[in-house]
Amino acid sequence: MALLSRIRALFRRDAITDEISEELQFHIDARAEEWRRRGVPAAEAKRRARDRFGNVARLRDEGYDVRGGGVMETIWQDVTFAVRLWRRQPGFALTAVLTLAISIGAVTAIFSVAEATFLRPLPFPNPEQLVRPGVHVPRPDGTTSRPTPSLDDFRHWQSRSDVFSQVAASTNVSGGAIIDGAAAERIALRGISEDYFAIYGVQLLLGRAFTRDEMHAAEAPVVILGHAFWQRHFGGRTDVVGQVLRYDNKAATIVGVAPAHFESTTPVFVPLRLPLEEQGRRGLGRPGFIVGRLQPGLSIPDAEARLTSAMPAGERTSMTSLLDSARTSSRTTVYVLLAAVGFILLIACVNVAGLLLGRSAARQAELAVRASLGAGRFRLVRQLLTESVLLALVASLAGLAMAWVGLDALVANIPLAISVNAPVAINMTVLLVTLALVVPTAVLFGLFPALRLSKSNLTQPLSRAGRQDAGGLSRRGGRWLIGVEVSLAVILVAGAGLMLRSFAKISAVELGIATEHVLTLDVVPLVTVPSAQADYYTALLAQLRTLPGVVAAGAADGFPLDGSTSYSRATVDGQPVNINPLRMLPGYAEALGLPLTAGRYPQPGEATAALVNVAGAQKMFNGAPAVGRRFSYGQSGEIFTVVGIVANSRHGGPFGETLDWAFIPFRPTEASVRSAAPLTIVIRTAGNAPGLGERVRQVAHSLGPKVLIERVRSGEEWLSRTVVTPRRRMVLLTLLGSLGLVLTLIGVFGMTAYAVARRTQEIGIRMVFGAQARQVVGSVVRDTLLPVSLGIVAGLIGAGLSTRAIQSFLFETEPIDIPTFAAVAVVLLVTGCLAAWLPARRAARVNPVDALRS
Amino acid sequence: MAKRGAGTNSDQLHGTLDMLVLKTLQHGPMHGYAIAVRLEQLSKEVLQVEEGSLYPALYRMEARGALSSEWGVTDTGRRARFYRLTKAGKAQLAEETESWARITAAVQSVLES
């Protein structure tokens, strides 16, 4: 290893020079000896030998350069020199390092997200073989439907070893399971088929997977524990296999524990068991998710053809690649974020180039002295490059630290679905890519000023005449740098502006529900008879209404903002109508803030009084007056009377549609008691009610039966959940846009300061001849404004071409939104002026005499 | 780092010196002084200015891998550094000898025509 031996040589300098000295001395002695043998006196012989030999010290140094750590040593010199310079100008060093570090941190963090969601979304062996099969079935009217496959479809696919090597099915068990204990807890259950772990190449941590026999409903209950659940409930004990987990009054044998990195959010896996009558029915959503692993080498079209040929005429099978769909869903977001941080990195590089250029103005004299003492151009460039590479390395370390610290916060707020199986981490790939990105950019931004500087006439700065060569920005690279930087910033800020405007439009959407001062919680008493449940809710609501600050309280088996619908059939005047029913207890509409447009709200004790909303009334009664009308609903054909009509509201948030709701009285049944399906209690308060959640909890627990309380949320929380992805997009892009703007401010400031520093003498002369401070400031600002304006124009064109990339993120906002673009131009112009005005003002305060003397 | 004399002449001189050193060493290892004496016999030109300039040349050739060196003892019992040709050095010598022969043959044929 030549490099290693050179580095070692750094610490063995004496040993190497001693060796060289000894060798050279031997030569001189041998030559002197030769002269002496020919009869020359000893002293004279020595002198002649030395004269003949040349400059021993120089030859020794030259020899050391070749033999020893010459190059390494000069690099080391350059490094210590750079560090000394930075310590003398901490402002420069700090700005440059911070600018780069922040952008490198941003690039690293965003790239690690991209790596997890886009490059490695399915961290399993041969993920390209994984497909989701689906069936297409013709409807009588000639169109085709795509019902969810049935369990029989799944078993058929499992038997097709000519197509699949493995097939696995899974489904979320609705209602989950209730684990009774000191505090009752509802957990999610995931029903899985026997190959569910094997198809992903996942080994169980403990125990075994389910067997095919265990899929039969008659078999004894068995469970596999999720890793986090196992840690929480069993303290990670390894002897759990064979023990019993009690839930829903069942005792299930634990047969295995899933590993930490696989579906860690699933608490308990159970065998996928469907009632016999459901097994052949498509479109039930059970099993919900089927994944197949294609035989190696088999293409999707071939696999589809093989399966379709075995189906009844008209039916066919289609497949989607799991990997492709995982990538498609994240592609746009990942690309946009990468582009944005790429721009940030570019701006930061331009900035640092500008800073280096600016500082080099102050260093010209120093460099000229060094050149005149014999430093070659290459040597000077290398010194400047060493400095910028060092800068990049320090900044990379700081940036990586920032990325590492900020990664969790970023992941928690990223507008992407991140699979629990592919967690985001700064891994080797990320580090390598960061390095591959940073080092060349460092060389680039270092090379630009270095070449520019070393090219200039180096003796000139030493002479007085050199001072008059006071080119403004225009004659230096600064103008280009400013233009490039501003145009990049315009694109970033335009993207951020569009997201802000879009989000403002989302926020302005009228929901029809008053979400302020609303608290909701899902409550279910763990009782065994329907009447006990009804009594409990009645008592709970009565108690809640007595709490201070509470103005209304009600309950229903759903919440308009949670996005689920359950259309079912009602009958009006003998005609069937599809409506969306919500089972409620009186007080619900008042608590939600749904205003009456006709009639009245139902009162407690009215067993058949229903509310409909305007859209529901329209649909059910075709615009005729609805109050007082009757309709029947449900299997037993209960009759309800409409007592009031409430205003429409959007379903599931600002993006939702207006649903046709019918609010009918809640009546517990055997089934609802058995599944412990909760009601959502809605409480409206007069103002802010701190601590209300805790008081409500106490009330709910104090009424006798054991109670399960879940999803305690404020109305605002519900609302923000419905817009969480647009909000995250807006926040993230606004952050990146602001970062770009701040960096541009720093950059333009730095380069203008550089130009001003070069013009100090000229400014002094002009002021001696009577120029006013105002004129000096004006000329400096004008000098900067030209590239800024050009940058804005170029940036707006760039933005016009590129904002289509985020079109799908925009809500009622065009990608080329004139008001937004105009605002962006103004913001950049003001920023540019400010950045130029600060150093200009300083220049105008210069004492002309000092300026001339400097 | 001081500017060194650069340019074609010096490069040619380096090249010639290198070749002569290789030639000198082809019969066995020698120390620096012995190489200098031998070069003097072959050509007074090469080391005319200063004998010491032989050493940077030796170090460069060693760094290139054409030579290797180790400390040894001279006939007179003094410690000295001995240089020997490496495989790469021998190959280089053969190559340069051949190309030299080609050039001289070409020049000869031009002169004789």
Side-chain angles (χ1 to χ4, degrees), chain A residues 586-722:
Chain A
Y588 184 72
E590 296 94 312
L592 266 186
L594 287 171
L596 281 172
T597 61
R600 61 176 176 83
Y601 292 118
Q603 295 305 308
E606 290 187 291
T608 62
L611 279 177
V612 291
N613 68 358
V614 172
Q618 176 65 34
K619 188 169 188 186
M620 293 164 78
F621 308 108
N622 293 318
V627 177
R629 299 283 298 269
R630 291 161 172 245
F631 63 96
S632 72
Y633 171 78
Q635 285 170 341
S636 54
E638 289 174 88
I639 308 287
F640 299 99
T641 309
V642 177
V643 300
I645 300 175
V646 293
N648 284 336
S649 62
R650 277 182 196 256
H651 172 68
F655 307 110
E657 296 167 9
T658 297
L659 277 196
D660 23 36
W661 294 99
F663 303 91
I664 56 182
F666 169 72
R667 204 163 295 150
T669 60
E670 293 287 345
S672 72
V673 168
R674 206 178 324 114
S675 66
L679 288 192
T680 301
I681 312 283
V682 180
I683 303 162
R684 174 170 295 281
T685 55
N688 288 329
L692 181 66
E694 204 33 57
R695 282 205 302 281
V696 171
R697 229 181 244 278
Q698 284 169 8
V699 171
H701 282 299
S702 70
L703 293 174
K706 194 171 248 180
V707 177
L708 200 60
I709 299 176
E710 294 163 294
R711 291 210 300 188
V712 184
R713 288 177 191 167
S714 69
E716 300 295 337
E717 217 176 315
W718 274 105
L719 183 60
S720 79
R721 275 169 181 271
T722 65

Side-chain angles (χ1 to χ4, degrees), chain A residues 5-6 9-10 16 20 63-72:
Chain A
S5 72
R6 279 178 177 245
L10 273 181
I16 291 173
I20 295 173
Y64 176 75
D65 271 356
V66 182
R67 286 267 311 269
V71 174
M72 290 306 292

Side-chain angles (χ1 to χ4, degrees), chain A residues 272-580:
Chain A
L272 176 62
R273 290 173 179 173
L274 294 184
L276 261 178
E277 68 274 15
E278 284 190 1
Q279 295 187 357
R281 281 173 59 190
R282 289 170 175 162
L284 287 177
R286 292 184 292 272
F289 186 78
I290 297 177
V291 59
R293 185 176 278 282
L294 291 179
Q295 288 288 1
L298 189 65
S299 73
I300 286 183
D302 289 350
E304 286 171 342
R306 284 189 195 180
L307 291 179
T308 300
S309 64
M311 293 172 86
E315 293 189 8
R316 65 186 182 87
T317 305
S318 69
M319 290 179 193
T320 48
S321 154
L322 225 51
L323 197 59
D324 285 353
S325 46
R327 285 190 175 147
T328 311
S329 63
S330 62
R331 178 175 290 128
T332 309
T333 304
V334 164
Y335 283 3
V336 166
L337 289 181
L338 283 180
V341 289
F343 282 10
I344 299 264
L345 184 63
L346 269 179
I347 293 179
C349 287
V350 170
N351 259 2
V352 175
L355 281 171
L356 288 172
L357 201 61
R359 204 182 46 142
S360 61
R363 279 182 67 182
Q364 282 219 321
E366 170 221 323
L367 291 171
V369 169
R370 297 179 48 182
S372 65
L373 290 179
R377 184 174 177 202
F378 172 72
R379 184 72 189 76
L380 286 182
V381 169
R382 202 175 79 185
Q383 203 242 305
L384 293 169
L385 262 188
T386 306
E387 207 185 313
S388 55
V389 169
L390 188 67
L391 195 67
L393 284 180
V394 172
S396 300
L397 286 181
L400 282 178
M402 285 183 196
W404 189 70
V405 169
L407 197 62
D408 287 345
L410 175 70
V411 168
N413 292 294
I414 201 89
L416 282 171
I418 291 170
S419 159
V420 288
N421 292 328
V424 176
I426 298 178
N427 54 26
M428 214 52 195
T429 321
V430 175
L431 284 179
L432 284 179
V433 167
T434 304
L435 207 66
L437 204 66
V438 167
V439 171
T441 40
V443 170
L444 260 180
F445 73 65
L447 204 59
F448 177 67
L451 286 178
R452 178 162 292 282
L453 196 58
S454 66
K455 202 161 61 185
S456 54
N457 186 342
L458 285 167
T459 52
Q460 229 182 43
L462 288 179
S463 68
R464 291 234 131 218
R467 300 294 171 83
Q468 276 145 25
D469 171 32
L473 274 175
S474 49
R475 261 172 276 162
R476 297 275 144 191
R479 181 194 226 176
W480 275 103
L481 292 182
I482 288 181
V484 167
E485 182 163 68
V486 168
S487 58
L488 290 172
V490 165
I491 298 176
L492 275 179
V493 176
L498 288 173
M499 295 310 294
L500 280 170
R501 190 165 164 83
S502 160
F503 197 77
K505 292 207 167 154
I506 293 172
S507 306
V509 169
E510 283 288 337
L511 285 178
I513 297 172
T515 49
E516 303 85 28
H517 311 313
V518 164
L519 181 77
T520 76
L521 60 163
D522 290 0
V523 176
V524 61
L526 301 177
V527 293
T528 47
V529 287
S531 63
Q533 207 179 44
D535 292 347
Y536 175 83
Y537 284 124
T538 312
L540 175 63
L541 290 180
Q543 284 276 322
L544 291 178
R545 291 191 186 110
T546 65
L547 287 178
V550 173
V551 293
D557 63 350
F559 192 72
L561 287 179
D562 85 348
S564 60
T565 58
S566 55
Y567 269 97
S568 43
R569 180 164 301 176
T571 311
V572 182
D573 296 338
Q575 298 296 314
V577 182
N578 265 339
I579 56 161
N580 200 32

